[in-house]
């Protein structure tokens, strides 16, 4: 069975599209996913960008909102909403996702992205994240308390460094077991093909 | 029948991929293409970029060369070669394409892109462009002479201004009759779907 590391940032619009369809397309392709939230902000900063490229180049940003509206519609998702401010601060959501057991991460991640891009809610708000955790049956206070622990903060930092070390510069990104990197929701299928063909060679 | 304006720059790597498959996919979709070469350089400059984003962000550039190698292979094209220097100066090729009759533009455009990205040749060289014109049965000296005429230069400048006015910021770009903009080789199929659905409403 093929394996793909799915790298995503909770502030990333195209990560939203990839995450919402990830389990379905991976199951159809018989590929296992490792869900790896990370922070794009420090990577953008290391390339000299203080915010999203969509803010730095407004004409590209405006196009992207329209592109996202169209893609959400094609994918059968609710009307795409841009959170204000954009990009959202995704630190709390990422730490929470890392704090959860692996098996709980996909469902929680979808809930966060839905709140952000289908409901326009502020995912940096502890109340919002706590509400999502509770709805999914987690001990919200317990999980949120863990996000403040140093070991947990370090774990997310290490993940972000691992992403950068693999050449990741955007999200979503997909990495197969041989280190092949695919960037963007548009490359999800190519990454699946690659992972499947690797698995066949074994 | 649907119609799409296909905007491309001869220096653009992903324009190469789109142009090489354009006639085939458009025919299959029953959509007519208007081939509109333009210059991305002045548009990048107006956004504060003095060269290709692939040069400004080297980690993104390195990824893109690999992505292009993979995509060329998927599309059945020869091994992708990056011209040196990159990006090539595409002014002469664009003026030549504009100087040719509409019906001759697709074939000439494919020949230029093949020379550039499959053979690594310098498309800013008059000898290279002249050779391609001759091979395709054109009067190379006559066409090249036309590229020096002021009216021809103005025509290309007007096209580039029209591209910018439509919100185009990259290449390839696709614009349907209602002004809907799609950016990138990855959106070609979406533009075709859009054009077809517009044609049905008429």
């Amino acid at each position: 069975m093929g394996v793909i590391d799915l790298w995503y940032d909770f502030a990333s619009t195209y990560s939203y599209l990839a995450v919402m369809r990830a389990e379905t397309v991976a199951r159809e392709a018989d590929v296992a996913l490792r869900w790896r939230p990370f922070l794009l902000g420090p990577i953008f900063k290391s390339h000299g960008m203080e915010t999203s490229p969509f803010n730095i180049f407004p004409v590209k940003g405006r196009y992207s909102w329209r592109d996202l509206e169209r893609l959400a519609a094609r994918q059968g998702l609710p009307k795409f909403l841009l959170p204000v401010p954009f990009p959202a601060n995704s630190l709390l959501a990422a730490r929470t996702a890392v704090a959860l057991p692996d098996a709980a991460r996909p469902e929680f991640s979808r809930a966060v992205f839905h709140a952000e891009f289908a409901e326009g809610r502020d995912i940096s708000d502890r109340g919002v994240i706590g509400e999502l955790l509770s709805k999914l049956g987690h001990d919200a206070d317990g999980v949120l308390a863990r996000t403040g622990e140093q070991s947990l903060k370090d774990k997310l930092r290490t993940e972000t460094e691992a992403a950068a070390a693999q050449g990741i510069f955007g999200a979503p990104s997909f990495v197969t077991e041989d280190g092949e990197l695919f960037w963007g929701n548009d490359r999800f299928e190519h990454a699946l093909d690659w992972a499947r063909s690797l698995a066949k060679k074994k």
Side-chain angles (χ1 to χ4, degrees), chain A residues 14-163:
Chain A
Y14 292 92
S15 291
Y16 163 53
L17 299 182
V19 158
M20 297 313 273
R21 68 199 188 91
E23 283 200 327
T24 306
V25 297
R27 195 184 311 117
E28 281 167 8
D30 195 32
V31 168
L33 292 178
R34 281 194 288 248
W35 290 62
R36 303 188 71 169
F38 75 112
L39 295 179
L40 205 42
I43 294 180
F44 279 167
K45 277 199 183 118
S46 75
H47 299 160
M49 291 187 291
E50 290 297 323
T51 179
S52 162
F54 297 150
N55 291 338
I56 296 171
F57 305 107
V59 68
K60 195 169 178 177
R62 278 193 300 275
Y63 167 78
S64 286
W65 314 146
R66 179 65 181 146
D67 189 47
L68 288 155
E69 280 180 2
R70 291 190 308 233
L71 293 173
R74 281 179 80 101
Q75 205 173 316
L77 294 170
K79 182 173 163 46
F80 178 83
L81 294 179
L82 197 65
V84 177
F86 175 84
N89 184 329
S90 55
L91 181 62
L92 177 66
R95 282 184 182 160
T96 307
V98 171
L100 289 172
D102 288 352
R105 201 168 296 127
E107 187 182 46
F108 172 75
S109 299
R110 284 190 296 268
V112 171
F113 277 117
H114 178 84
E116 183 181 11
F117 294 114
E119 298 179 341
R121 302 183 72 186
D122 179 2
I123 62 160
S124 72
D125 185 317
R126 287 176 77 85
V128 170
I129 296 296
E131 184 192 314
L132 298 176
L133 286 168
S134 297
K135 270 193 191 165
L136 297 173
H138 299 292
D139 165 20
D141 290 343
V143 176
L144 284 172
R146 277 207 62 208
T147 64
E149 292 171 10
Q150 192 57 47
S151 62
L152 199 286
K153 294 179 182 177
D154 290 344
K155 199 171 166 189
L156 177 60
R157 188 176 300 116
T158 304
E159 282 292 271
T160 296
E161 287 164 2

Side-chain angles (χ1 to χ4, degrees), chain A residues 130-201:
Chain A
E131 184 192 314
L132 298 176
L133 286 168
S134 297
K135 270 193 191 165
L136 297 173
H138 299 292
D139 165 20
D141 290 343
V143 176
L144 284 172
R146 277 207 62 208
T147 64
E149 292 171 10
Q150 192 57 47
S151 62
L152 199 286
K153 294 179 182 177
D154 290 344
K155 199 171 166 189
L156 177 60
R157 188 176 300 116
T158 304
E159 282 292 271
T160 296
E161 287 164 2
Q166 285 176 70
I168 288 174
F169 56 88
S173 286
F174 310 91
V175 181
T176 51
E177 286 181 286
D178 57 347
E180 192 77 16
L181 169 64
F182 298 82
W183 169 51
N185 181 46
D186 295 319
R187 290 290 174 279
F188 202 165
E189 279 70 19
H190 296 198
L192 292 167
D193 288 349
W194 196 277
R196 225 174 9 217
S197 110
L198 266 189
K200 272 186 204 151
K201 284 181 199 156

